[in-house]
Amino acid sequence: TWTPIENCSVTFTSPDCLLWIHGTAQFTQPGATAINGVTTDVGNVWNPEYFVLIQVAIQIDNYVIPESIVGGTETDNDKASGTKQPMFPAGTSLVLPIAAGQHTVTLVARAVGAIVDKGTIATPATPAVTEQSPWGFYASCRELICLEMRR
């Protein structure tokens, strides 16, 4: 499910024209307090198996533009469908013709695949368990720019 990025939506009325849309955001995922510790938004352990795959895209009038998706869209062709890092910037941009009228443009993101696979923790004192993070990811330092291109 695509989730709108907070404060990254604009509604406007325009004539028939080309619309240039550019959106960026910094994505951050939580770490753990120890290699087998509890997840926290200020954690300092970065296990690469612990993070979700993230996609970001431009949505116009409640329709996600497939060509704007960053993080792969063809699961039969793209080995990893999403970007998987503890912190990373992502940007997407496109130019397309738009009909006259009122439109809403939104920068959206979603997690794809397994929500979190932290791995298995096994010690002599405890049996193996799999932990999952309730934290997911958040977007910061975000911007959305929409420009009408007229002659």
Side-chain angles (χ1 to χ4, degrees):
T1 302
W2 291 101
T3 302
I5 295 175
E6 188 176 344
N7 297 324
C8 245
S9 183
V10 62
T11 299
F12 56 89
T13 301
S14 70
D16 285 330
C17 65
L18 286 176
L19 188 65
W20 179 17
I21 306 166
H22 180 76
T24 61
Q26 171 75 30
F27 293 95
T28 305
Q29 299 187 53
T33 54
I35 198 66
N36 61 353
V38 178
T39 59
T40 172
D41 58 352
V42 293
N44 56 7
V45 175
W46 302 109
N47 178 347
E49 296 303 315
Y50 183 70
F51 304 110
V52 297
L53 294 165
I54 299 172
Q55 292 180 331
V56 62
I58 294 170
Q59 178 178 283
I60 301 175
D61 298 333
N62 295 317
Y63 176 74
V64 173
I65 308 297
E67 293 82 5
S68 74
I69 298 173
V70 174
T73 58
E74 300 174 2
T75 54
D76 60 337
N77 188 40
D78 300 328
K79 184 175 180 182
S81 192
T83 305
K84 185 178 182 179
Q85 295 294 325
M87 292 178 230
F88 67 95
T92 183
S93 186
L94 79 143
V95 175
L96 76 161
I98 197 159
Q102 184 172 335
H103 302 284
T104 300
V105 176
T106 307
L107 194 61
V108 295
R110 70 177 176 183
V112 293
I115 295 301
V116 172
D117 180 15
K118 186 174 182 184
T120 302
I121 303 166
T123 65
T126 61
V129 296
T130 300
E131 294 185 24
Q132 291 190 348
S133 168
W135 293 95
F137 66 92
Y138 62 93
S140 60
C141 300
R142 56 214 177 268
E143 71 177 352
L144 180 65
I145 302 169
C146 298
L147 300 171
E148 291 178 1
M149 299 172 63
R150 303 186 207 176
R151 290 184 178 189

